[in-house]
Amino acid sequence: MKPRKPELLATAPSFLWLAVFVFVPVAIIFAIAFRPALPAGGIGEGWSLDAIRSLKDPIYISLLFRTVIISFVTTALCIALALPVAWYLAKLPPTWRSRILMLIIIPFWTNFVIRVFAWQQILHAEGIIANALRFIGILGESDRLLGNNVAVIIVSVYTYLPFAILPIFAAAEKFDFALLDAARDLGAKPFRAFRSVFLPGIRQGLVTAILIVFIPMLGSYVIPDMVGGTDSQMLGSKIAQRNFNDRNLPQAAALSCALTLLVLAPMLLRRKEKAA
Amino acid sequence: MLGHLRFENITRRFGSFTAVDRVSLEIEKGEVFSLLGPSGCGKTTLLRMAAGFDVPDEGRIFLDGVDITRLPPDQRPVNTVFQSYALFPHLSIRENIAFGPKLSKRPAAKIRSEVDRMLDLVDLAAHADKKPTQLSGGQKQRVAIARALVNKPKVLLLDEPLAALDLKLRQRLLVELDAIHDEVGITFIYVTHDQGEAMSISDRIAVMNKGVVEQIGKPPEIYEAPRTSFVAAFIGDTNFFEGKITSCIDARFSKCAIEGIGEIIIDNDKPTILGDLVHLSLRPEKIIVSRGMPELRTNENSVPGLIEDIIYFGSHTRLWVRCSGWRICVETQHRTYQLDQAPLKWGDTVYLLWHANDGYLLEQYREEDESLLTLPDEE
């Protein structure tokens, strides 16, 4: 069916918005990736494949690998924690449900960077947790909580957990819990009923939660910068470093393009699945 | 021999509310047993305890002599048809029905043939690959029944299975359900608030009110010989009279004085003593209306009254007749021999006639049960 004129007019503002704030900036970044870098920093004249070629650098490959692993582990932990929370939230009486939802949302009122900074204090070598763990002998004298991948994952899970809880809760709230009774009645053990009936029932929320955590995780750079160490750098941190410190804009752009394509892959997969 | 499914002194409380209060039932193998009562009477709680979704605070449940009180639902040879059907929306009709057999790890070919047999039984073979959302309410209901029966349960629990359907479909499915029961021959426990459904499908009915079983019996017993005012008023419609026994006629009949009406003859179906306060239930369709004073035969009663309300129902007409302080509900058939009579109108004086046998003395009377009767508003 051909879209009619009024429909085109109605969608024009959003198209314009998308064009100005998404398509044009992305196109500019893609273009910069094919420009030469100036030794003093900035973008040179003419065209060059240097920045693109530099992506083959094994440093970048291992960086990409680590980025995906950390993102994956964080996403998995977020989902694993969000599932039971969403389950119990959906089963709570409405007054308690909105109170607890409020508690989940309240941390957003504090600036993200400040919250990460707070985690620096919590996980600090002389902080309360480190001292406590050292006291009971779990943590060695020279072991540190801060400055490693584990710290990055802990703080990332903390940051993204609400984003995982909300879509799963929205789906669980609509889930008909009588279906679980039906599954049990037909002979399913509790976990089997959960897996064969509850998980398929909240599938949409689950997929949304995975994307909403995994995609921003791929681009995260504040958390690895603030609580990670030298061996927990992620792709995002490298882009920031190339951009702000080295002023090698073409290389930063090339890395950004690689990341964009990486993010697009699961999105396209999801679209294909929706169409099916 | 102890019953097939036996509830022994079951009590279930939710906070300070007692949903089920010391209920004992014995259900026989192969019968259709209904739990009938208004919402909140405890019938669904009782069913949930039979299914294993709830555990009684006191009392025990036995199936074929085995204590199943605390057995989880997946380990009971009992299956449920849920009120909301509870079909799995992500599975096709065939997969829904195969859900139970697959869990029991039977060979795939056997599962397939059993599912096919069930699809035939409920006449849904043509819809096997559809999703539940593509089916009508009646079809979903049949899938729910097939999904439960395929597991060959010893008892099938049906929780208001027809409540969500419209009247015609309900009547048709009731006939189908009866046919399915004849075919599989297992015990059905049927929970409903609809007395018509319960009367037409059940071998026996337990009428429940406020967590207590008020009466257990075959449908005609429940209707014709209600033990309490609740049973009389909840099943069908009735008239209640309060009177004092004034004299004995013989072993069976007594005279009873009713304020404003005078002395009437009643059937002593319960032992009564002179001077006893008794309560009588008289069904509207047992009363005959006539314009002239009827000739009384032995043990018949006649009372004059004024027609206050007339409601035409097609198959019959309901009259509310004022007899001093009482408003009596009467149901009249439209018989052709009455055609020469002028139709009854508001304000007409009529005589109500009934045989002493048609009144029934109640064992237990509570004034609050009068609110269950259909009465037009007082002016």
Side-chain angles (χ1 to χ4, degrees):
Chain A
M1 205 171 75
K2 250 184 162 177
R4 283 173 294 127
K5 220 176 193 172
E7 284 167 7
L8 280 177
L9 272 174
T11 47
S14 28
F15 266 121
L16 198 72
W17 191 92
L18 269 177
V20 172
F21 293 106
V22 180
F23 296 140
V24 172
V26 169
I28 291 173
I29 291 169
F30 267 75
I32 292 173
F34 292 91
R35 296 288 194 136
L38 294 177
I43 307 160
E45 293 288 320
W47 302 96
S48 152
L49 282 174
D50 286 353
I52 302 291
R53 280 202 198 95
S54 72
L55 291 179
K56 282 188 303 192
D57 189 330
I59 291 173
Y60 290 147
I61 304 294
S62 70
L63 208 56
L64 180 71
F65 191 68
R66 183 192 298 140
T67 303
V68 171
I69 294 283
I70 289 179
S71 303
F72 179 82
V73 172
T74 303
T75 309
L77 286 173
C78 278
I79 298 296
L81 289 169
L83 268 173
V85 174
W87 166 289
Y88 286 111
L89 265 179
K91 287 197 141 189
L92 274 179
T95 46
W96 274 103
R97 193 189 291 169
S98 47
R99 277 176 209 165
I100 297 196
L101 273 175
M102 199 66 194
L103 289 180
I104 291 171
I105 293 164
I106 279 175
F108 287 107
W109 295 354
T110 308
N111 183 284
F112 162 63
V113 179
I114 292 173
R115 281 182 289 140
V116 180
F117 186 73
W119 272 100
Q120 273 189 343
Q121 311 309 309
I122 295 170
L123 298 177
H124 195 269
E126 295 304 321
I128 180 161
I129 293 180
N131 279 335
L133 289 178
R134 227 172 263 131
F135 182 74
I136 57 173
I138 292 178
L139 207 65
E141 237 5 88
S142 59
D143 291 334
R144 283 170 49 106
L145 292 173
L146 219 50
N148 51 39
N149 289 342
V150 176
V152 173
I153 288 170
I154 289 174
V155 178
S156 297
V157 168
Y158 159 79
T159 306
Y160 288 103
L161 188 57
F163 296 102
I165 291 174
L166 294 177
I168 295 179
F169 161 70
E173 197 189 19
K174 285 189 228 113
F175 180 77
D176 177 9
F177 281 88
L179 294 178
L180 289 173
D181 278 351
R184 298 274 285 135
D185 187 69
L186 293 167
K189 297 250 178 294
F191 183 71
R192 178 64 194 256
F194 175 83
R195 185 166 63 84
S196 311
V197 176
F198 185 68
L199 289 187
I202 57 154
R203 204 171 156 282
Q204 281 301 323
L206 217 51
V207 172
T208 306
I210 289 171
L211 289 179
I212 227 167
V213 176
F214 189 71
I215 292 173
M217 269 310 290
L218 287 177
S220 92
Y221 78 94
V222 172
I223 296 170
D225 256 22
M226 289 179 70
V227 299
T230 44
D231 61 346
S232 48
Q233 262 207 334
M234 290 170 72
L235 215 49
S237 351
K238 189 55 92 184
I239 294 172
Q241 187 198 331
R242 287 278 176 271
N243 201 16
F244 297 127
N245 304 352
D246 312 346
R247 301 282 303 143
N248 189 339
L249 295 188
Q251 212 168 72
L255 278 169
S256 293
C257 293
L259 192 61
T260 305
L261 292 174
L262 196 71
V263 169
L264 274 176
M267 297 279 275
L268 291 175
L269 256 158
R270 179 166 159 73
R271 167 161 306 175
K272 213 172 153 190
E273 191 179 75
K274 258 190 174 170
Chain B
M1 163 85 187
L2 295 167
H4 172 50
L5 179 62
R6 191 151 55 93
F7 294 87
E8 207 178 78
N9 252 324
I10 299 291
T11 296
R12 179 74 174 103
R13 296 181 202 92
F14 296 105
S16 61
F17 175 70
T18 306
V20 175
D21 193 4
R22 286 162 294 169
V23 166
S24 293
L25 292 172
E26 287 207 11
I27 294 157
E28 277 154 39
K29 206 175 178 104
E31 78 174 330
V32 178
F33 190 95
S34 285
L35 298 171
L36 173 64
S39 59
C41 72
K43 56 189 193 297
T44 299
T45 307
L46 208 55
L47 192 83
R48 288 179 63 80
M49 291 191 287
F53 300 131
D54 206 346
V55 175
D57 295 317
E58 284 156 37
R60 293 192 296 172
I61 304 170
F62 294 90
L63 180 60
D64 286 336
V66 180
D67 187 341
I68 59 164
T69 317
R70 284 170 193 283
L71 213 57
D74 50 284
Q75 286 166 38
R76 297 187 183 206
V78 162
N79 286 107
T80 310
V81 174
F82 293 87
Q83 185 175 4
S84 60
Y85 316 133
L87 301 180
F88 305 126
H90 61 290
L91 300 179
S92 72
I93 302 314
R94 174 181 295 285
E95 290 164 331
N96 261 282
I97 298 175
F99 192 90
K102 272 187 184 159
L103 287 168
S104 69
K105 301 211 167 64
R106 275 177 259 178
K110 195 164 162 51
I111 291 174
R112 206 180 162 76
S113 75
E114 273 169 21
V115 171
D116 281 338
R117 206 174 61 79
M118 277 301 145
L119 283 167
D120 282 338
L121 178 73
V122 295
D123 201 19
L124 281 170
H127 303 284
D129 298 315
K130 287 188 181 166
K131 288 279 170 70
T133 48
Q134 292 169 281
L135 299 189
S136 70
Q139 288 170 330
K140 282 184 202 164
Q141 187 54 69
R142 302 212 300 259
V143 176
I145 292 167
R147 186 180 67 174
L149 284 177
V150 74
N151 304 293
K152 303 201 171 72
K154 285 185 176 171
V155 180
L156 184 70
L157 307 172
L158 300 114
D159 183 12
E160 304 250 7
L162 308 180
L165 306 171
D166 60 60
L167 183 65
K168 282 277 175 207
L169 194 58
R170 217 151 58 210
Q171 289 169 345
R172 224 184 62 208
L173 274 167
L174 212 53
V175 175
E176 278 180 34
L177 212 54
D178 207 26
I180 289 172
H181 179 255
D182 287 346
E183 177 145 352
V184 296
I186 60 166
T187 312
F188 278 28
I189 298 185
Y190 192 100
V191 162
T192 182
H193 67 271
D194 185 313
Q195 37 127 342
E197 275 177 32
M199 297 283 248
S200 51
I201 199 170
S202 316
D203 295 313
R204 285 194 305 150
I205 299 173
V207 183
M208 292 187 71
N209 183 32
K210 295 182 177 161
V212 173
V213 172
E214 297 244 339
Q215 188 169 359
I216 302 173
K218 295 188 166 68
E221 290 169 9
I222 299 274
Y223 188 78
E224 301 288 345
R227 209 175 62 77
T228 67
S229 55
F230 175 80
V231 175
F234 188 73
I235 294 161
D237 230 324
T238 194
N239 295 290
F240 290 130
F241 294 101
E242 189 184 81
K244 250 198 182 84
I245 306 281
T246 49
S247 64
C248 253
I249 298 172
D250 55 31
R252 243 190 104 183
F253 296 98
S254 300
K255 280 197 171 164
C256 169
I258 293 170
E259 204 192 316
I261 288 184
E263 271 194 341
I264 61 162
I265 302 167
I266 58 161
D267 185 344
N268 281 336
D269 33 50
K270 307 272 171 333
T272 52
I273 307 168
L274 222 61
D276 262 0
L277 192 69
V278 292
H279 290 94
L280 189 72
S281 159
L282 180 62
R283 298 281 187 197
E285 74 278 6
K286 310 272 190 192
I287 303 172
I288 295 165
V289 184
S290 66
R291 282 181 184 279
M293 171 127 54
E295 261 181 60
L296 291 184
R297 282 172 291 177
T298 327
N299 297 332
E300 279 185 340
N301 296 298
S302 160
V303 175
L306 209 67
I307 295 183
E308 271 194 345
D309 240 310
I310 302 179
I311 299 180
Y312 178 74
F313 281 101
S315 62
H316 61 271
T317 295
R318 265 200 175 180
L319 309 172
W320 275 272
V321 179
R322 164 75 64 188
C323 304
S324 73
W326 308 85
R327 265 149 71 97
I328 302 173
C329 176
V330 184
E331 233 168 70
T332 61
Q333 304 287 317
H334 317 126
R335 295 200 178 87
T336 39
Y337 67 81
Q338 288 174 332
L339 280 180
D340 56 333
Q341 288 186 4
L344 295 166
K345 298 190 308 291
W346 283 31
D348 283 359
T349 303
V350 290
Y351 287 86
L352 307 181
L353 173 81
W354 72 92
H355 193 275
N357 271 337
D358 289 327
Y360 194 82
L361 285 183
L362 300 170
E363 252 175 65
Q364 192 190 85
Y365 179 82
R366 277 169 307 218
E367 208 169 324
E368 66 196 55
D369 293 329
E370 279 183 31
S371 64
L372 294 166
L373 301 177
T374 47
L375 278 175
D377 292 333
E378 298 263 3
E379 262 115 75

